[in-house]
Amino acid sequence: MSAPAAPLLTVEHLTMRFGGLLAIDDVSFTAARGGITALIGPNGAGKTTVFNCITGFYKPTSGRLTLSRGGAASPADIDALTASSRRSRKTAAGAVYLLERMPDHEIAAHAKVARTFQNIRLFPGMTVLENLIVAQHNELMLASGLTVLGLLGLRRYRDAEAAAVARAQFWLDKIALTARADDAAGALPYGDQRRLEIARAMCSGPDLLCLDEPAAGLNPRESSDLKALLKSIRSDHGTSILLIEHDMSVVMEISDHVVVLEYGRKISDGPPERVRNDPKVIAAYLGVEDEEVAKVEAEIAR
Amino acid sequence: MAAAATEPRSLPANPLARGLKEGLGAALLAFGLAVPILALRTEQNISNQLVLQPRWHYVGFAVLAAFLGRLLFVLATSAAAPRRPKAAAPAAFPAGAARALSILGLLLLLLYPVLALAIAGRAGAVKWIDNFGVQILIYIMLGWGLNIVVGLAGLLDLGYVAFYAVGAYSTALLAQNFGLSFWLCLPLAGILAAFWGILLGFPVLRLRGDYLAIVTLAFGEIIRLVLINWVPVTNGYAGISGIPRPTFFGLPFNASDSGFAAFFGIEFSPLHRIIFLFYVILALALITNWVTLRLRRLPIGRAWEALREDEIACRALGINTTNTKLTAFAMGAGFGGFAGSFFAARQGFISPESFTFMESAVVLAIAVLGGMGSQIGVAIAAAVMIGGTEILRELEWLKQIFGSAFDPAQYRMLLFGLAMVLVMVWKPRGLVSFRRPSIFLREARPVRADMVKEGSG
Amino acid sequence: MEYLLQQIINGVTLGSIYGLIAIGYTMVFGIIGMVNFAHGDVFMLSTFIALIFLLLLTQVLGLGSLAIALFIVLILAMLLTSLWAWAIERLAYRPLRGSFRLAPLISAIGMSIFLSNLVQVTQGPRNKPVPSILGEVITLSEREGYSVTLSYRQILIVVVTGVLLLAFWYIVQKTSLGRAQRACEQDRRMAALLGVDVDRTISLTFVIGAALAAVAGLLFMIYYGVVNFNDGFVPGVKAFTAAVLGGIGSLPGAVLGGLLIGLIETLWSAYFSIDYKDVATFSILAVTLVFLPSGLLGKPEVEKV
């Protein structure tokens, strides 16, 4: 089940420097197609920075972020794209994108990467339903003939809007918020806002869903609902997930693959079981000195 | 929140005693503020020297007004205090009532010239239709246009008058240099203004909040200064005159044989043109309103509002915020351009003086006082603020109290400024403080204003 | 060369005045993040207060010594302008603190309209020519019929500005008020929890800004020899431009920006076109905000995602 099959996203030698601060130092990992990849690490390890690079909010100092939609892109395609100055290239299976060359909104619109934020970013003054409709902006914009046809009230746009509402309703049912569809998103309780943000991201029909601490601040019941939701997103909708999470119960239970960062470097990478027992990871979380890690490693080796 | 908590701490039992005490404080403050600027007036004497003329009674008025104002305020608020727990959720405004209200308002507007004629007679109606009707409608239209930029997209624009000016000057110049009629100039002026909206919008895309406001202010001033100094084209301070008036399907409003009156076989009257202009601006304003309401329900309008709510989330959802902002600038500017074109044709004469920063401030005040994003709120604010200051011109009887040197019209902008402050302190979110959703599943519940963001851009 | 030197002298004089006004903008923006739109009109008000008291002292009370008269006028103008600024903050801004961002801005614009019209109504719309003060000049050099001069006025302006800036610098750096101010700039809520009287600190910020604007007002009146109710807006915008150019929130930046704007305006008028000198300032404002939003000495702002 684990990674090597066909990576959806390949991160190679990602480095991000803010002035004199090296936030991410040569990190490489992959996110498998149809899998859940977790990105963990102590506070300040650079996890959110990795997210911001993938979703285009930051331009990486160096490194290559390849996303292949539809199916694995051949190395030849990727090399050809890298050599060119273009952002994307059609492949036999679909298309391949170099995310580091794309602005944020194009990554969302074309490479189909959706994300949520650590400090929830809903449209608080718009209703729950409106939030989910805005997520389908680009499709609706086309259907409205870039506004002109919609302004005339043509059938094509009305049909498209009805379809958008239906999709929104599907996700509302899925996160059990249908009853609150017409309330302001900002008026929802915290846990509902978290779920709504995920539903909003899903309404944009992503191939890769990046979740920044989706379980933060949730109670145990909400947390287990979340796990079920994420599993269903992966298996029923074919959306791959990349998540940052501190709640180890969530990480260990649902993820297929775990990447551990510390001080901007990758210190471990593998299936949850292996990572859990990696002495470097234990040391990173418990704050043990390097020599002790060496000692523990030696003991394990023996 | 902190201010509200400190208020009711220790109210003396007797509101009158408290009122008197606070009134005295206010009077003292008013005295301190008034003495340096009100008590002595600088005047030039015959030999062009400045001399001081004492006018201590002005200080007396100010002190008395402050004392009575504060006293009455304290009495009024303490009378209302027991019924404190207000701030309940806004009752879901029944959609039927809102519709009935807007139909009634529309009917009233359509019949307004007739009513004015019936009540004020032929001579009096000119003032009511032109000074009040047309004037207020121009500001309603400008308010609605700016509302797209500020209220919906949350982009603070302090230079809106620039687009009004572009509309007016393009109409004047196109008419003068190419002999185009008003009806041809009007759409061209709108398009040119929208084009300028995009042009000026481009450099400021990255800016947020007050910075954006200041840069737009700078652009507005630059355009005005260019209009003043580029004399060969704009004729500078002297302005452009002889701008053709709108015709009724080619029939001019004059006393000639081919004029409107002659064609319909009625007696010529200057009122015809004024009434016609009223309906033209009414139609333009209604088109602005209709388009805006329509756009709010389209993806572009929702993207504007989403932009106001959270720009970063917009980008994460694949919305091209650059285009979204530019379309908002272009739409708002375009409507400003239409209004400017109408203004030029109505006046027949324009000069840079009509396009000062003050105009931008007035239009922005109308948009914000109306309640962000609310169409009806903007209309009410324009009617109250413009109508209210216009009405000061009518208060001739005050001269009998304060002497013939007293001209109430002088106080128009003074009171306008004061009203801006008072309305903001009283209702920071504007008159209509809830937002109507653009789409709903079961019922359209109004969204409380404190949820709605006002944009960071 | 002489011409240039003369322009630089004039530019520095003008720049000192802009710098004094700019401090009011930059301090208020630093502490409550608001563009105090009425500040330019507070400055204009102070020019009238200075004019009225100068006339009162010299004409009505017949005070002989100009130096003493100017000193009394300076103190009175600072006090009374500060009272106005205090009242404005208390009545028009404080109730809106923590409210929606646009509300204080609209309130400030309303206040600006109110002030300029108040002065127009009470003092009349005409220009007020001020009796010439300290018009004597020192000729620094004279060559080929062109002389470089330095007037007593210009010396007064630069010296007063320098002295007051030092005093002000001392207040902000060394006193508990200055500490409270910087604490409120960083985190108002935390400052309040630690016992800083936030309301008082903000009030005092407005008061200090207005006092410096009043100094600028007196100097402006002496320098130009004419005051008008309309003189709030354009000098206000220029001083704001100075604050932005120097980096808003930065006090040395405000002074530096003021000097630069004064120099640019003078040199532009001297070498290019006096008609477009305001266009030059407004363009600098726009260009700075677009390309260098943190100004010359300000701290850059990073977008948080």
Side-chain angles (χ1 to χ4, degrees), chain C residues 175-295:
Chain C
T175 63
S176 62
L177 168 67
R179 239 185 339 266
Q181 248 174 355
R182 275 170 285 146
C184 291
E185 259 173 55
Q186 298 275 325
D187 188 336
R188 227 184 300 158
R189 191 180 296 239
M190 193 63 208
L193 286 175
L194 293 174
V196 174
D197 187 340
V198 173
D199 280 344
R200 187 170 153 272
T201 310
I202 293 175
S203 276
L204 279 171
T205 305
F206 274 84
V207 163
I208 295 174
L212 291 175
V215 177
L218 173 66
L219 299 177
F220 182 88
M221 180 193 80
I222 294 174
Y223 191 53
Y224 281 104
V226 61
V227 298
N228 184 280
F229 78 97
N230 238 340
D231 279 343
F233 180 65
V234 170
V237 173
K238 285 180 183 165
F240 181 77
T241 307
V244 168
L245 183 62
I248 196 142
S250 154
L251 298 174
V255 180
L256 176 69
L259 290 175
L260 282 176
I261 293 293
L263 282 171
I264 290 169
E265 187 184 329
T266 319
L267 295 176
W268 183 281
S269 309
Y271 289 98
F272 297 103
S273 143
I274 196 156
D275 288 338
Y276 282 94
K277 76 176 160 65
D278 290 352
V279 174
T281 316
F282 285 118
S283 307
I284 291 168
L285 178 61
V287 168
T288 314
L289 281 176
V290 171
F291 294 105
L292 191 71
S294 51

Side-chain angles (χ1 to χ4, degrees), chain B residues 33 36-37 40-42 50 55 156 203 206-208 211 214-215 217 229 413-414 424 428-429 454-455, chain C residues 37 52 59 84 96 99-102 107 110 113 117-118 122-123 128-129 240 248 275 289-290 303-304:
Chain B
L33 296 178
I37 201 73
L40 300 163
R41 183 182 164 110
T42 47
L50 278 186
R55 296 206 310 192
L156 196 45
R206 290 186 298 159
L207 298 175
R208 288 151 188 282
Y211 277 19
I214 298 294
V215 173
L217 180 155
N229 290 309
M413 290 318 286
L414 183 105
M424 277 298 109
R429 233 33 229 284
E454 50 189 337
Chain C
F37 228 93
I52 290 170
Q59 286 183 4
W84 267 96
L96 294 172
S99 174
F100 302 98
R101 184 174 54 84
L102 268 179
S107 189
I113 295 176
N117 282 278
L118 178 75
T122 56
Q123 297 294 330
K128 307 283 177 188
F240 181 77
I248 196 142
D275 288 338
L289 281 176
V290 171
E303 181 183 53
K304 282 290 262 185

